[in-house]
Amino acid sequence: MSAPDDGAGLAVTGIGLVTPAGSGTAATWEGVCAGRGTAAPDPELAGLPVAFSCRVPGFDPRDLVPGPRPWQHDRATQFALAAAHEAVTAAELDPAARDAARIAVVLGSAAGGVGTYEDQCRKFTDSGPQAVSPLTLPAFLPNMAAGQVAIALGARGPVLHTSTACASGASAVALAALLLSSGTCDVAVAGGTDAMVTPLCATAFAQMKALSRRRDAPARASRPFDADRDGFVLGEGAGVLVLERAADAAARRAPVQAHLAGYGIAADAHHPVAPDPECRGLRLATAQALRSAGATASDVAHINAHGTGTPLNDRTEATALAQLFGPAGPSVTSAKGVLGHTMGASGAIEAALTALTVKHGHVPPTANFHHPDPDSPTLDLVTDAPRTQTIPLALSNSLGFGGHVTVLAFRPTT
């Protein structure tokens, strides 16, 4: 799938972030640019094979989630509501003053309200049916984050949920772009959310040998592209972007953070959880994103890599980038060294970070990188400190279990 070329791209007029670096776009950007890992021992995971994670610090839904009863939502939905509120406010958008039927909401997640599901299963097992909350289904059904955001905004256009594992948030942004480019809506509130730092999810990933076991130094455990990487750190959060056609944004003099210039969506069709060693999905999605942006590989100055810190993903992604862009390729970073892997939210969070990178001309470093992998191609990896760089075009890569791949392309406003 590739976007129609409308000659102008789509404007990102608002960004909202809730991440392990903090609640709010400013806190997240500052934390990512500081390049310090956020992983810490997690009391809720005590006694499990891996007992540390990247949690959103100090998140109080009573302060950050609009509406009278924030407690009725799963944590993932609370994150989405907070991020959407920030994004719409930053876009200087009043949904009540717009045609509600022309506002779309597209949100992705890998697991929906899995925390609620686990909690209610324990109550059912321990205390019987009478202990199960009547709010269980509205809280844990995967579509409810999108539904609750639509309710909060009064949006009556397409309200959709995407689930492409760790590419879910990026897939939601791409689907929102398609709705805008086709004329189906005028405003799209798009992104991803997940709160999978739960005992069952943490145990399941640990049993797969996907998580880092660096218990002695959790903050240094997530090591994208480093020779000593041993898995990702489980994280949580949400990222939301407000997208509009560039001409519409200009007409209302909206603040524009960056332009979504194009996107590509493809699949490995290789293995349920392992990346394709020939990188066919990523290569195809990159080609589509460049074509829809009217660009070539030589135009790409920066890549926000998927960069999970797992041995197979990073080696495969590095190989694909070297093949696509050559030895003098673009600068590369991964936010997961700081934020951990926020699962279905990661693609949207990293899309927002890529938009901010092209806006500020400031590339955040890849945290915890110390030694190049001798078995991987050399990348121009930004490490240690942020890099000042003019970026005419940047890509954000997102990959997920099932072979899902989404690549988003961003340009600065000038």
Side-chain angles (χ1 to χ4, degrees):
M1 179 190 296
S2 59
D5 182 10
D6 64 1
L10 301 172
V12 179
T13 56
I15 292 174
L17 293 170
V18 176
T19 76
S23 295
T25 298
T28 295
W29 180 246
E30 180 181 356
V32 170
C33 288
R36 293 188 297 271
T38 59
D42 189 333
E44 293 189 28
L45 305 182
L48 299 180
V50 174
F52 59 90
S53 70
C54 292
R55 290 245 185 215
V56 175
F59 183 83
D60 189 339
R62 294 170 298 181
D63 296 331
L64 297 172
V65 178
R69 296 182 296 277
W71 49 266
Q72 70 183 348
H73 307 304
D74 183 83
R75 188 169 171 88
T77 298
Q78 292 173 351
F79 291 160
L81 285 164
H85 178 71
E86 183 191 17
V88 170
T89 300
E92 299 177 4
L93 186 70
D94 180 5
R98 304 294 296 257
D99 182 352
R102 303 291 297 170
I103 302 175
V105 176
V106 189
L107 291 180
S109 75
V114 67
T116 295
Y117 183 79
E118 286 187 38
D119 181 58
Q120 295 302 314
C121 281
R122 283 191 294 270
K123 291 181 177 179
F124 179 82
T125 301
D126 294 344
S127 304
Q130 69 280 358
V132 175
S133 170
L135 297 176
T136 298
L137 286 170
F140 97 79
L141 290 174
N143 68 297
M144 291 308 295
Q148 293 289 3
V149 168
I151 291 168
L153 298 178
R156 293 190 173 88
V159 178
L160 304 171
H161 167 80
T162 59
S163 184
T164 53
C166 302
S168 297
S171 298
V173 173
L175 179 54
L178 180 61
L179 293 174
L180 283 160
S181 297
S182 68
T184 305
C185 64
D186 296 327
V187 175
V189 179
T193 188
D194 257 326
M196 291 179 66
V197 186
T198 68
L200 179 60
C201 291
T203 300
F205 280 121
Q207 292 296 92
M208 292 178 67
K209 312 297 183 187
L211 298 183
S212 171
R213 303 295 179 107
R214 210 174 298 274
R215 301 177 181 86
D216 57 328
R220 299 193 294 275
S222 181
R223 301 188 175 194
F225 299 106
D226 189 83
D228 295 328
R229 66 191 184 277
D230 70 332
F232 65 80
V233 176
L234 192 57
E236 62 179 6
V240 173
L241 288 72
V242 176
L243 300 175
E244 305 175 56
R245 285 181 289 273
D248 293 344
R252 74 176 188 89
R253 298 185 179 181
V256 178
Q257 308 299 315
H259 286 101
L260 177 62
Y263 61 86
I265 302 177
D268 282 344
H270 168 70
H271 189 275
V273 297
D276 177 10
E278 296 185 20
C279 319
R280 285 170 289 193
L282 182 55
R283 291 165 64 91
L284 180 58
T286 300
Q288 291 176 352
L290 292 175
R291 183 169 61 251
S292 65
T296 66
S298 63
D299 296 319
V300 178
H302 172 66
I303 295 174
N304 190 304
H306 189 56
T308 60
T310 58
L312 275 180
N313 175 88
D314 290 8
R315 188 169 301 151
T316 301
E317 188 173 13
T319 299
L321 296 182
Q323 292 172 349
L324 287 164
F325 299 100
S331 64
V332 177
T333 194
S334 170
K336 293 184 176 71
V338 173
L339 304 178
H341 196 339
T342 55
M343 312 313 294
S346 63
I349 291 171
E350 290 158 18
L353 293 174
T354 307
L356 293 171
T357 296
V358 301
K359 173 185 177 181
H360 296 300
H362 203 63
V363 180
T366 303
N368 300 322
F369 180 87
H370 303 291
H371 306 291
D373 183 351
D375 297 322
S376 293
T378 300
L379 301 175
D380 182 15
L381 200 68
V382 178
T383 62
D384 299 324
R387 179 187 298 179
T388 299
Q389 181 184 353
T390 300
I391 304 172
L393 184 69
L395 303 181
S396 182
N397 294 345
S398 296
L399 290 72
F401 283 179
H404 302 284
V405 182
T406 299
V407 176
L408 304 174
F410 291 90
R411 284 195 175 100
T413 57
T414 56

